[in-house]
Amino acid sequence: MKTTGEREAAMGKLFAAVSCLLLSAAAVAAQGAQAKMQERALPQWLTGIIAVSGFLFLAFVGFLVKKAWCEEPRSREVTVELVGEDEFVNKNIYESSPGTVRVKTVVGETENTYESTLDMVRSKDDMNAYDNLVMDGTEDKVTSM
Amino acid sequence: SRNVSFGFSLSILFIYSLKINPADISVIVGYFVAVIGVGVWAMLRSNRGTVGGYFLAGRTMTWWPVGASLFASNIGSGHFVGLAGTGAASGIAVGGFEWNALFIVLLLGWLFVPVYLTAGVITMPQYLKKRFGGTRISLYLTVISLFLYIFTKISVDMFSGAVFIQQALGWNIYVAVITLLLITALYTITGGLAALMFTDTVQTFVIIAGAFVLTGFSFAKVGGYSALLAKYSAATPSNFSSTEPQRYNISPSCYTPRQDAFNLLRDPTTGDLPWPGVLFGIAIVGGWYWCTDQVIVQRCLAARNLTHVKAGCIMCGYLKLLPMFLMVFPGMISRVLYPDEVGCVVPEVCKRVCGTEVGCSNIAYPKLVVSIMPNGLRGLMLAVMLAALMSSLASIFNSSSTLFTLDIWTRIRPQAAERELLIVGRVWVLIIVCVSICWIPVVQAAQSGQLFDYIQSVSSYLAPPIASVFFLAVFVKRVNEQVVRSGDEHLHRLVFSLRHSKEERVDLDWEQEEKGRRARREAEERRRETSCVGRLCGSSQAHEEAPPPEAPEKLPDIGEEPAWRHVVDANALIMMAAAVFMWGYYA
C-alpha cells in the first residue's frame, strides 16, 4: 500500500534520525572527559565508521520492525484508500504488469504488488471483476462497499 | 541568521578596503548580468498571471531549482561572517547548526510537505486555518511571521551585506543598498517565485564556487589541514597584557583557543555550546525554520511532485555539508594567520583594529578576502557575498508578500480577484524594500553587538511554540481548537496519517471560504460592466474567467512512482549516513 510504504520509509527516516542523534549522544558520553585530540581512544575516522554502522544497523532494524508491524493494519486501510480511486492504475504502470496473474502468492508479500492487483481489477471495469479471482477474505470488505 | 549573534559591529570594522580594480569590477558586472539574465529568462517562460503561477511558480519546478533555492534562501551574508567569526573564536561547534539541518530538511520532505501538498494550501497560516478552523491562529501566525522576517531575517542580512558593500566599494551606504535592493526587487516583483528559484540556482553556484576558491587559498596559506589542527591551539595574540592593570586583568582563557575547538559535541556543563543544546535545542529551532516557515516550505510547494520535493531536500542536505568546510574552517585559519587582529583581546587594540572593544572575531572572513585573494578573485568574493545577500532577501520579500497577500489582504477584502492579489503582492515587495532600507540607520547607530543577541533571543523565543503547534497539527489528530469539533471528517489530507485519504472533507473554515467565494462572484459581476485597467501588469486576459485564487479543485496528488521513490529513499539514507559519519568524525 502506498500509505504503508511511504509510512515505512518516513518512519524509518524519523526513527533513523532520532537514533543517530542518540548515537551521537552516546559517542559524546563515551568521549566525555577527553578534550585534547591526542587523548582520543579511537581515531576520528573510526568513530565516524562506528557511528555510520550503528546508524545503518538501527535503520535496518527499524525497517524490519515497520515491515512486521505494518502488515496487519494495512488490510483494514485498504478499504478506505481504494474507494473511488482510479488514478492509481495510471500511476503504477511499473508495478501493474507482473502482478495480475500471481495474485495469491503475492498478497502479503510486498505492498506495492498487492495494491496494484487490486487497482488493476477495480479501475475501469465493473466491480464484479473481483469475483473471478481467488483472493483473501479481505476482498469481501472491498466489494461490499 | 542565528549564527550572527556575536559582536556585530561590522559597520566600522574595515579600515582595509578592497581596492577595486578592473578585474574585480568585470567579475561583479558579469555576475549581475548573469543574475538579471536568468531572472528575465525565467520571467518570460513562466506564467505570472495567476496566483499559483506567481507565488508557487505554477508548481512546475524540478528538483535542482528546489534544492538550490532551499540552500540559497537559507545561506545569507550573515552565515559567512557569523560562522567564520564564531569558528575563529570557539571552534567548529557552530557548524553543528548547519549539520543539524541535514536531518531536519529530510523531515521536511518526508513528513511535512506531503501533508501541506494534500492540504492544497499555499501559505502556512492557510494550513493552520484549515486544520484548526477559526481565524485567530492563522492571523497570529501571519503577524508573527511578518514580524520575525522584518526584525530577524532582513535585519541580519542587511547588517552584514550593507557594510561589506560599503567597505568593498567605498560607496555611500544608502546608494549601495538601494541599488542592490532595487535589483533584487526587480526580478522578485516581475518574475515571482519562478524567477527567484532560477536565480537562486545561479547564486548557489556563485556562492559555492567562490567559497571553495577562498577555502583553497586559505588552506594553501596555512599549510594544509593538519597544519591547521596543529597551529590553531597556538594562535594567541602577541598583546595580551592589560594596559590598565588596576582596572582590569586579562586571564589566559580570554585569548587562548579552546581545548575542545575541534569537537562538535562539548561538555554539557563547561562547554560554550553544550551537546544537548546542539543536538536537541538546535533541532527544535531548526524544525521551525525548515518545516514550518513560509520561506522554506514555499519552495517545496512549488515542485512538480513529491519525488522532486524529496530530491530537492536531499540536494539541499548535501549542500549543507559544505558550510563547515567553506566558512568555519576558513574562519579558524584566519585566526591562525592573523592572531593579533582576529584574535585580539586587549580592548584598546580591538578598538583600533575593528572599532569595537568586545572582540574582532567577526572580521575573520573579510580579513581573508582582503588579504589572501588576488585581484579579480576579490571581485568574485564580493559577488559571493552579494549572491548570499540577494538570494536570502529576495526569498524573504517574496514569501512575506505571499503571506500578506493571501492571509491579510484576502481577509480585508474577500472579494479581491486574482489580478488584484497579484498587484497587491508586488506592491508589498516595494513596501518591504523600503522597510529594509530603514534598517541602515539602525546599522549605523547600533555599534555594539548586543542588538544581535536580542534578535537571536526573540527568534528563539518564538520558534519553539510555532514548531510545536505544527508538529501537533500534523501528527496528533486529537488536537483541535474547539474540543467539540473532533473527528476524522475534518482532518482528511490535513494530518500525516490521513494524507492519502480521498474522502470528502468537511472544512472547518467552510463559512469563511463560502463568504469569500460569494464576495468574489459579486465583485466579478459588477466588474464585467466596467472596463479593465490593469493590462499592463502582465496578468492574464481581460475577462476574469479564471477561477478564484484558491487551491486547485482536483485533489493534489502526492503519489510517487515507486521506482523513483526507492531511488529517493536510498539517496536519503546515503545522505544521512554521510551526515552521521561527519558527526561521528568530529564529535
Side-chain angles (χ1 to χ4, degrees), chain A residues 3 6-7 9-10 13-14 20-21 24-25 28 35-36 44-45 47-49 51-52 55 80-81 85 91 95, chain B residues 103 107 111 259 263 265 275 279 496 499-500 502-503 557-558 560 562 569 573 576-577 580-581 584-585 587:
Chain A
T3 307
E6 264 198 43
R7 178 187 297 141
K13 299 300 154 293
L14 179 60
C20 91
L21 293 181
S24 308
V28 154
K36 282 209 180 117
Q44 284 188 297
W45 57 268
T47 324
I49 299 282
V52 174
F55 161 73
V80 176
E81 301 279 340
E85 183 45 57
K91 284 197 286 289
E95 307 159 309
Chain B
F103 301 100
L107 290 186
L111 300 184
Q259 298 277 48
N263 285 76
L265 303 172
W275 65 262
L279 289 184
F496 189 73
R499 69 194 185 282
H500 287 299
K502 307 286 174 199
E503 303 195 10
D557 169 35
I558 56 165
E560 306 168 71
D569 286 352
L573 209 61
M576 276 202 285
V580 169
F581 176 77
Y585 188 92

Side-chain angles (χ1 to χ4, degrees), chain B residues 392-475:
Chain B
S392 299
L393 282 183
S395 306
I396 297 168
F397 292 165
N398 179 269
S399 293
S400 67
S401 159
T402 313
L403 282 176
F404 177 79
T405 307
L406 295 177
D407 290 302
I408 295 185
W409 192 259
T410 50
R411 183 195 297 264
I412 298 175
R413 280 176 53 87
Q415 66 273 28
E418 266 199 322
R419 196 189 312 151
E420 179 179 337
L421 291 179
L422 293 174
I423 295 175
V424 167
R426 291 167 160 120
V427 167
W428 175 263
V429 172
L430 283 177
I431 293 176
I432 207 155
V433 163
C434 299
V435 169
S436 308
I437 293 172
C438 295
W439 272 107
I440 307 299
V442 181
V443 168
Q444 295 180 319
Q447 298 303 332
S448 81
Q450 288 306 310
L451 187 65
F452 269 92
D453 290 330
Y454 296 143
I455 288 174
Q456 293 305 313
S457 303
V458 164
S459 61
S460 300
Y461 287 147
L462 294 175
I466 300 176
S468 28
V469 164
F470 272 89
F471 183 85
L472 291 172
V474 169
F475 293 109

Side-chain angles (χ1 to χ4, degrees), chain B residues 226-250:
Chain B
S226 36
L228 169 65
L229 298 183
K231 291 185 192 173
Y232 182 77
S233 43
T236 50
S238 42
N239 285 347
F240 53 79
S241 32
S242 162
T243 52
E244 295 175 40
Q246 320 87 287
R247 203 154 64 88
Y248 63 88
N249 276 335
I250 301 180

